[in-house]
Amino acid sequence: MSSDTFKIMRWNADFDGPWGAPAAVQYRSGGFDGLSLTSTPEWKPESIGFISELLGLRYLNLRVKISQDLDVFQINTLEDLSLLTGSRRKIPNVVLPQLRSLCLTDRPGIEMANQFPQLEHFQIGTWKGSDLEMVRGGGCLKSLYLEGRRQAGTLAGIETCPAVEEIMSVNYSIADSSPLRPLDRLREVKLLAASPAAPHGIIRFSDIASSDLAKVWISNAPVLQDVDALRELPRLREVRLIECRLGRDDLQELKTLPGRVDVRIISPRG
């Protein structure tokens, strides 16, 4: 969701000083419906309960090092939330009915279908999971970005999210690509597990062969199957294969792709 949708008040404690009552007055009098708040080592609030004073808050970007940040999940007007606090507190079992975009660092208690039923864009950093059960039943989810910790796991759960158009995983090695097969709206697929992460298991291009697919990036995959499935994709424009193992027949198939497809192959080191 574009930030242009909102009227955002930007407050950086390094320049504007600690948040206080005058700042809240400025927010209310300025007709804002969004807040971007950044703290400094010199100002670390004990809680962010003051956020509840900002009526009609639709956009919130918090870059505040704080453990007690659960008050955010009581603001049911939020549509776009970036919660970069470093907190590991469990997300409460509440519903944010209007939330469309969510960015946070890994923490327990994420159950998308129950808590964020309208969520379209989800980004999670320092993620330690081994499957995608947290997004199971996310019927509105369109884009998913995962930043792992070089762990291995599965994509189980994503197959229940039929609206997904973009998926990107970084530093996460998947067992196989089969959970992507039911997703017939895929436009971009990036499965990146650069060494020293473990290599991917089996990745089949037939599992991501949506007629809308335009871009596919894969790294560190020793087993790539069904390369010929790419030939039938009318909107394909870009293929990046980084440190993947390709046989002679696979390379030949890639050469037969239409000229509109930009194919780049970066060979394994050594």
Side-chain angles (χ1 to χ4, degrees), residues 9 11 13 17-21 23-25 27 35 37 43 50-51 53-54:
M9 177 178 172
W11 191 275
W19 182 271
V25 171
Y27 173 89
L35 174 66
L37 177 61
W43 178 65
F50 57 84
I51 294 296
E53 302 172 3
L54 308 180

Side-chain angles (χ1 to χ4, degrees), residues 1 48 51-52 57-60 62 69-83 90-104 107 109-122 140:
M1 182 178 294
I48 51 175
I51 294 296
S52 62
L57 191 65
R58 299 168 56 215
Y59 173 98
L60 181 60
L62 277 181
D69 63 358
L70 299 185
D71 289 312
V72 167
F73 297 100
Q74 304 302 321
I75 305 175
N76 61 14
T77 56
L78 283 174
E79 298 175 30
D80 190 316
L81 172 62
S82 293
L83 193 60
K90 183 178 180 180
I91 294 177
N93 187 22
V94 297
V95 179
L96 296 185
Q98 300 184 58
L99 196 68
R100 300 292 192 278
S101 180
L102 175 62
C103 174
L104 43 68
R107 58 198 299 170
I110 302 172
E111 295 182 8
M112 183 180 297
N114 294 329
Q115 299 158 321
F116 319 120
Q118 299 299 316
L119 196 68
E120 298 177 0
H121 309 284
F122 182 37
C140 295

